[in-house]
Amino acid sequence: MRFCFSYLSLQPLIKKMDFSYPKNEKLKSKTTIDLLFSEGKSVSKYPLRLVFVENPYDTEILKFGVSVSKKYFKKAVDRNYYKRVLRECYRLNKHLLLKNVEKNYAIMFFYQTKDRLPYSEIHQKTVVLFEKFIAEIKK
């Protein structure tokens, strides 16, 4: 006997949490990025740093970007790897932010060390950093 399930038929059974990182959530606007660096506030948990600014002109609750410095990783392969890791950590933990944010924010996420930390450690520090961010905006 052969069973054929499609994702659509199972969709009502699955409690849907949105773990996507769609294009409209990506921080691309040059003016918003300039605003982040000129007026943004920051929280950090070594080796991660999160710079944020309220973004009332955008329709999205969160606009998110990542950056890894060429100063620490000369090869683009290494920078791209850590950017992928940071995006993945955001994607899996953005529900923490969405539950606690009432205003629109533009956020930039930085990896700021030459130490090559494993994914699990970066993931743990991301959760702590997001909690610090939530505490900061609740002030």
Side-chain angles (χ1 to χ4, degrees), residues 61-62 96-105 133-134 137-138:
I61 291 180
L62 293 175
L96 297 172
L97 300 176
L98 293 174
K99 281 192 301 190
N100 296 294
V101 172
E102 290 88 30
K103 299 177 183 173
N104 296 350
Y105 285 95
F133 167 70
I134 292 164
I137 62 172
K138 296 280 183 182

Side-chain angles (χ1 to χ4, degrees), residues 25-83:
E25 268 184 33
K26 295 179 180 169
L27 181 60
K28 298 285 186 181
S29 167
K30 174 113 171 77
T31 55
T32 307
I33 292 170
D34 290 341
L35 182 68
L36 258 173
F37 289 110
S38 64
E39 298 177 19
K41 297 177 185 168
S42 141
V43 291
S44 61
K45 173 68 179 159
Y46 178 82
L48 305 174
R49 187 167 139 236
L50 190 130
V51 177
F52 63 95
V53 69
E54 192 177 330
N55 191 10
Y57 307 111
D58 213 326
T59 57
E60 285 298 312
I61 291 180
L62 293 175
K63 285 284 193 178
F64 191 82
V66 297
S67 178
V68 178
S69 176
K70 198 182 235 184
K71 176 181 174 182
Y72 299 122
F73 296 103
K74 303 294 184 206
K75 294 181 181 175
V77 172
D78 297 329
R79 289 193 305 274
N80 291 339
Y81 169 77
Y82 281 100
K83 286 193 285 187

Side-chain angles (χ1 to χ4, degrees), residues 15-28:
K15 190 173 185 178
K16 180 90 169 120
M17 272 186 92
D18 187 20
F19 287 114
S20 64
Y21 182 43
K23 192 173 187 176
N24 59 356
E25 268 184 33
K26 295 179 180 169
L27 181 60
K28 298 285 186 181

